[in-house]
Every structure is written in structure tokens, then in C-alpha cells.
Amino acid sequence: MKTHKLLIALILVAAWNSTTYAQPTVTRQPTNQSVSLGATASFQVTATTTNPPLSFQWRFKEMELGGQTTRLVSLTNIQANNGGGYDVVVADLSGSVTSQVATLTVDTTFTKITTGSIVTDLNDYWNGSWGDYDNDGYLDMFVTTQAYGVKLAEKYLYHNNGDGTFTRIMEGSPVNDLGNCPGACWVDYDNDGFLDLFVSNGAFWAQIHGGLLTNFLYHNNGNSNNWLAMKLVGTVSNRSAIGTKVRVQATIRGKTMWLVRQIFGGDSGSNEQPLDAHFGLGGATNVDLVRIEWPSGIVQTLTNVAARQFLTVVEHQEPGRASVNFTSVSRSTDGAVDLSVGGDTGLRYRFEASTNLLNWTWLGVRTNLNGTVVFEDSRATNFSRRFYRAAAP
């Protein structure tokens, strides 16, 4: 019996020692993060212990980080060399454990801007719209906000200083007229070369508070700066030219600059934009080069284009229109129609179909690589007869 009592006592002592001197346990591990240059990031852990106090020592690539001895480590103005693995050694009076490694990935595509009123002004923002309202060659930003309760809200206009910073405009009706504005649109409604501003107002105001609100329209009175406005008409691409990129090169204030616009229907929710490309040129009297990149892959260039004009450009290929001949038309056993067209190589061919020779439907675009283009109209199974035409605009 004495032997059994001694054995039980030894087991109890061993269990008591195990509980008392157990190493700390990390209950929340640091997690991987991905940020841009200039951003901030933080890693944190939580841990428990039966033998306090807890201490922390953060490490970067297994090297201790000086002064980082709490459960949270924060990094500011992150650069590429901050990328890598972070972990923390958690210790108590009985020993230490090391957390799992959390990887910080630094995406060098963008640098996060953290200074300037354009990113530090606090509000409940709704939409933003870019436009070079003073035609100095730099895009400015107009931002709308939502109303708080029964209090109508201000709007924000940030002028681009041309050096990567913006100045908030505090004077004038566009920023001092209060409203509940879901969207805004820069558009030159009177074709004087200067972007005017339309701001929608109201949203759900009437349903919630009763009473209607008027929209805002602000006419731009202009200045002496020059400009170029371009309307694009697609032929191989969609007729509205949506998706087209327009790049212009001009010498503005003694500096050669590239400006770019992309044609699209809207730049954010509730914002519709005109389907033209507007460029502010400052004091430049001409554009050295215009490069138009159509969705079809066609690229057109114009040189020495005069400023202060509205220019319409129709999509076409160099050297221009080419002869196109159908070499064969046949119907497959599944009802699809196979078309074969011969013509100049290196051109893009547009295929269209009609049932009455009056109304034509766009089918697709193919590139002539070797002198012959083959196109299959799988939708022909729905028609008893169909006419086709092909062109290389």
C-alpha cells in the first residue's frame, strides 16, 4: 500500500509541474497582408499563459526588430524592402514559442498617397469625377457627398497642382451649394472648349424627408488655355468607340507631356460621361502627336494637330480601304454558315449579316493573316436565308 501511495504522489507532482511550467500559447496568429508603396500595415497576436508575465519580440526575416516588444507591430510608409516574413517570439517565465510567419507583400504598382486634403478630408462620399476644368493639362477631381439626416451636405472640388498634389477649392457655388448629390458629370454642353459641370441632386431625399431638390448646372466661363476635343466613330470596333484609348503628346509650359483619355459610358456609379475625349493643353497651340488605340486593335496616328478644334475621327486602317472578295460560302450540316474572304493581309475584316439588305447585324472581326479569312456564323441556324457582307474599313 505504501508503494501505491508514493506512485500516486509522484504522478500528482508531475501533473502540477506540467501545468505550472507550460509554455505560452499563441491563440491568434499574425496574418499575411498585401499593400502598396507608402501604405501602412500592422501585425498582431494574442497569447495566453499560466506563468506570467508575457513578453513579445517581433522579428523580420528572423532578425529582431528593435523596440517592437508589444503584441502589435505597426509599419508606416512601407517600401519594397519592407516586404518579407514577420513573426513574434512570445515568452513567459517557463519558456517561449514563436508565432507562425506572416508575409508582407509590397505591390510596387502603386504608391498609396497619405497626405493632402484629397485623401484626408473626412465625409460620407458618394461619387468622384475627373475633368480638366481649367484646361491646364492636369485632371481635377469633383466629389459628391451624401446628406446627414436632415442636413444637406457640401461638395468638394480639388484642383490639380501638376506636381502630384491637389488644392481644395473653397470658393464658388459648385462647392458651397448644399445638397444630397449621388453623381456629377463634366461635359462641354455649349461646345466652347471648356468643361461645364452637371450635378444630380436629391436621390432618396423626397421619399425620406419630403420635398424635392433641384439639380445643379455650372457653366464654365473659361480662360486663355487651349484645348482639343475629339469625337470617335468606330467601324470595325463598336460605333460609340467605347474602350478606345486616345493619347496626345504636346509641349505644355515648356515640358513635353503625354495625356491619355479612355472612352467609356461612366466613371463610377451614378456617373455618366460624354463619349468624347477632351484635352486641356495649357498654352500649347498644337498637338505634336495623336495616337488612337481602338478596341479592334487598329491604331491610328495624327501629327501636328491644331488646338481649339472639335475633331471627328472615323476608325480606319492603313493604307485605307482594301478590296474584299467572298471566295466561298457554304452551309454546314449543323446549319452554320462558313464564309471565306480573300483580300490584303494584315488588315482586320468586319463581318455583318442581314435578312433584308437594309438592317445589318455586326457578327465579328477577324484578322487576315495569310490572304484568306475564314468566319463561321453559328447563328445562321435560326434563319432560312441570310445575306453577308465583309469590309476592311
Side-chain angles (χ1 to χ4, degrees):
M1 294 297 293
K2 292 183 179 179
T3 302
H4 290 296
K5 290 181 179 179
L6 177 60
L7 178 60
I8 293 172
L10 289 173
I11 292 173
L12 290 174
V13 170
W16 178 82
N17 286 338
S18 174
T19 302
T20 303
Y21 296 105
Q23 293 178 333
T25 301
V26 176
T27 57
R28 176 181 177 179
Q29 298 283 355
T31 56
N32 297 337
Q33 295 189 51
S34 177
V35 298
S36 298
L37 292 171
T40 61
S42 62
F43 298 100
Q44 60 180 314
V45 294
T46 56
T48 59
T49 180
T50 57
N51 199 13
L54 283 173
S55 64
F56 302 87
Q57 177 58 64
W58 284 93
R59 305 189 307 172
F60 173 54
K61 297 180 179 178
E62 299 185 348
M63 299 293 292
E64 290 187 358
L65 291 171
Q68 303 299 331
T69 56
T70 66
R71 56 181 294 269
L72 174 70
V73 60
S74 296
L75 308 171
T76 60
N77 191 27
I78 290 173
Q79 301 302 308
N81 59 6
N82 296 126
Y86 291 80
D87 60 26
V88 59
V89 178
V90 183
D92 61 11
L93 295 180
S94 60
S96 65
V97 293
T98 302
S99 72
Q100 69 182 23
V101 176
T103 300
L104 178 64
T105 302
V106 182
D107 180 9
T108 58
T109 305
F110 295 95
T111 296
K112 184 176 181 179
I113 306 302
T114 58
T115 59
S117 60
I118 194 170
V119 295
T120 59
D121 286 340
L122 299 177
N123 210 311
D124 188 7
Y125 295 108
W126 207 319
N127 268 305
S129 184
W130 294 97
D132 184 4
Y133 73 86
D134 58 350
N135 284 343
D136 64 352
Y138 296 100
L139 288 173
D140 311 295
M141 168 63 84
F142 185 80
V143 187
T144 63
T145 57
Q146 298 187 69
Y148 292 100
V150 297
K151 180 182 178 182
L152 296 174
E154 67 271 32
K155 303 178 294 297
Y156 294 77
L157 176 60
Y158 298 97
H159 178 261
N160 191 329
N161 299 322
D163 59 359
T165 66
F166 293 80
T167 297
R168 181 180 171 186
I169 303 301
M170 306 297 292
E171 304 296 330
S173 296
V175 297
N176 287 298
D177 288 339
L178 301 179
N180 188 44
C181 304
C185 175
W186 293 102
V187 56
D188 182 9
Y189 75 84
D190 58 349
N191 286 338
D192 64 354
F194 291 88
L195 293 175
D196 310 297
L197 181 62
F198 176 82
V199 183
S200 60
N201 190 22
F204 302 104
W205 185 265
Q207 296 94 314
I208 299 173
H209 303 288
L212 300 176
L213 301 177
T214 61
N215 294 320
F216 300 109
L217 178 62
Y218 304 102
H219 177 262
N220 190 333
N221 296 321
N223 55 32
S224 61
N225 285 338
N226 291 321
W227 48 270
L228 176 67
M230 300 179 64
K231 176 180 175 58
L232 306 179
V233 180
T235 54
V236 179
S237 303
N238 62 89
R239 186 169 180 81
S240 297
I242 291 176
T244 302
K245 291 182 180 179
V246 185
R247 307 177 193 271
V248 303
Q249 184 189 66
T251 302
I252 302 175
R253 292 175 296 277
K255 178 183 178 181
T256 299
M257 297 177 58
W258 277 101
L259 311 177
V260 62
R261 303 288 186 270
Q262 184 166 0
I263 306 301
F264 49 89
D267 55 10
S268 64
S270 302
N271 279 15
E272 292 296 326
Q273 301 298 330
L275 297 176
D276 57 0
H278 177 274
F279 297 91
L281 300 175
T285 57
N286 70 292
V287 170
D288 301 321
L289 177 65
V290 176
R291 177 183 170 89
I292 305 171
E293 301 168 2
W294 299 87
S296 65
I298 293 174
V299 176
Q300 291 174 249
T301 57
L302 306 171
T303 57
N304 196 26
V305 178
R308 288 185 172 265
Q309 65 167 314
F310 296 92
L311 190 63
T312 298
V313 179
V314 179
E315 181 182 19
H316 72 82
Q317 304 173 83
E318 301 299 341
R321 296 184 180 275
S323 60
V324 180
N325 300 299
F326 280 101
T327 56
S328 68
V329 179
S330 61
R331 186 181 288 272
S332 303
T333 56
D334 61 1
V337 171
D338 297 311
L339 308 171
S340 181
V341 173
D344 295 337
T345 61
L347 296 179
R348 290 171 175 80
Y349 286 51
R350 180 188 68 218
F351 289 86
E352 296 175 301
S354 174
T355 57
N356 56 15
L357 294 177
L358 296 176
N359 303 312
W360 292 88
T361 301
W362 184 88
L363 297 178
V365 175
R366 296 291 185 273
T367 301
N368 191 340
L369 299 176
N370 55 19
T372 301
V373 177
V374 177
F375 186 91
E376 180 187 68
D377 179 16
S378 59
R379 290 172 289 184
T381 56
N382 301 321
F383 302 91
S384 58
R385 73 171 184 175
R386 213 174 191 193
F387 301 96
Y388 295 93
R389 66 184 182 186

